[in-house]
Amino acid sequence: MSSKKPDSSSASSTKPHDALVADTFRQLDNARSLLSALLPESVLRHLDLDTLELSTDHFVDEKLSKLETDLLYRVSTSDSEGERHAFVYVLFEHQSTVDRLLPFRLLVYMTRIWDSWLRGEGKDGMLPPIVPLVLSNAKGSWEGKLGFTSLIDGPRELIDALRPQLPSFEPLLVHLPAVSDDELESELRLTVMARMVLLLLKHARVGDLPEKLPRWLEAFRIIYESHGMGALVRLVMYIMETADDLTTRDLEYLDEVIDVPRGEVTMTLAERLREEGRQEGRQEGRQEGQIELLLKMFRLRFGEVPPEVEQRLRAATPKDLESISERLLTASTIAEVLGD
């Protein structure tokens, strides 16, 4: 199947939600745990998740790529009549409000998947099943109707008469704000990484991530011990990008409780920032994201950033920003970071 849009969801993406979702659920152990926990048993019993494969294809409209992230998985079905396949299409919606046209957009994306299949492996003209799973992070309660026919406006009697002629489906929806922390934390089918990502996505919308750190310290410790500093820093990087009130004390607290060398979380964050700055500096339009991250790192290390320092960062060249990122690793004052 051929890709419909460039794969822009990487660790260096300026869209932190995309990067976190993509980096986590590209890993098949996390993806299997997500599907095991969220899909109904009536669907799961027909899917062999041990055969799960990640597709490189993406089907979201480019103009909506800042509001949606999609992942497509291929899986064998439990079928005594021979080997067959199905697709699981996971769409993560991080819009601030519910979009009532979601069923229509999903139908468009599913049609693109089938079209790509027919132009590739589907030479017999048959279409594989698609399981549409939506993870929504919209604020408040989900008030939109999910059935596709709910979008059709006309006399009710006419719509009822036309049901055999109209597309009719309803996606599986998991509305994260409606799922309690206790439910997520007690869902044993989720890997600790998948569980932590869902919690972070939920509370990034709520806006209380730093307050939740003490509750999640044991999970962070497990992630550090089983996946290393890189995985831990990926999560802390997301918190830093989405929370305005993260403090140096929060990071020191992580160092102390997780039992890593003092300052390593902050230092590794700065190193990751420097590396992302190099990547983003090569791409037009990414420099603003790098500057915002640098400003957050400045605030974490030195407190409030003087206006003249912020102005200097915003006027800096990509090469200057990289140098500043490097000095941020070891400098003890703002003047040293700026090379003064």
Side-chain angles (χ1 to χ4, degrees), residues 50-236:
D50 289 337
T51 66
L52 197 70
E53 301 174 9
L54 175 67
S55 170
T56 58
D57 299 352
H58 296 274
F59 299 88
V60 167
D61 286 332
E62 189 65 33
K63 64 183 179 181
L64 292 175
S65 63
K66 291 184 179 181
L67 303 173
E68 299 177 334
T69 303
D70 64 345
L71 292 166
L72 180 66
Y73 303 96
R74 175 172 173 157
V75 61
S76 296
T77 59
S78 303
D79 191 341
S80 59
E81 299 178 13
E83 183 178 1
R84 297 187 186 183
H85 297 95
F87 289 100
V88 181
Y89 184 62
V90 180
L91 182 69
F92 175 64
E93 291 254 319
H94 44 88
Q95 302 189 55
S96 59
T97 57
V98 171
D99 182 357
R100 64 183 301 273
L101 285 175
L102 172 63
F104 173 73
R105 288 189 287 103
L106 262 175
L107 180 61
V108 172
Y109 301 157
M110 292 166 68
T111 302
R112 290 173 181 171
I113 295 170
W114 279 319
D115 181 64
S116 182
W117 168 264
L118 290 173
R119 289 185 284 106
E121 298 180 60
K123 302 302 183 183
D124 61 358
M126 301 298 291
L127 303 175
I130 298 175
V131 182
L133 173 62
V134 179
L135 294 177
S136 170
N137 214 19
K139 287 183 179 178
S141 60
W142 184 278
E143 298 177 353
K145 294 183 179 180
L146 285 174
F148 181 83
T149 53
S150 68
L151 299 179
I152 307 299
D153 185 22
R156 181 50 47 192
E157 294 80 4
L158 174 60
I159 293 173
D160 289 341
L162 287 173
R163 284 190 185 278
Q165 287 74 48
L166 294 174
S168 179
F169 80 101
E170 183 173 321
L172 299 165
L173 172 73
V174 177
H175 186 216
L176 286 176
V179 183
S180 71
D181 287 3
D182 288 339
E183 287 180 86
L184 289 174
E185 291 168 354
S186 63
E187 179 50 80
L188 299 180
R189 288 171 294 185
L190 289 169
T191 62
V192 65
M193 191 72 176
R195 186 182 307 123
M196 204 63 248
V197 165
L198 294 181
L199 285 165
L200 289 179
L201 292 169
K202 172 186 173 181
H203 285 280
R205 177 67 72 198
V206 175
D208 61 352
L209 283 176
E211 299 173 26
K212 293 292 181 179
L213 287 181
R215 177 169 175 157
W216 298 333
L217 284 173
E218 178 61 17
F220 284 137
R221 184 187 63 77
I222 294 172
I223 289 169
Y224 170 68
E225 292 179 351
S226 58
H227 299 286
M229 178 60 75
L232 175 63
V233 165
R234 187 183 309 143
L235 299 181
V236 179

Side-chain angles (χ1 to χ4, degrees), residues 267 270 301 325-333 336-337:
M267 293 291 284
R301 293 204 60 190
S325 299
E326 291 175 351
R327 291 193 292 269
L328 188 59
L329 290 168
T330 56
S332 57
T333 67
E336 289 180 28
V337 177

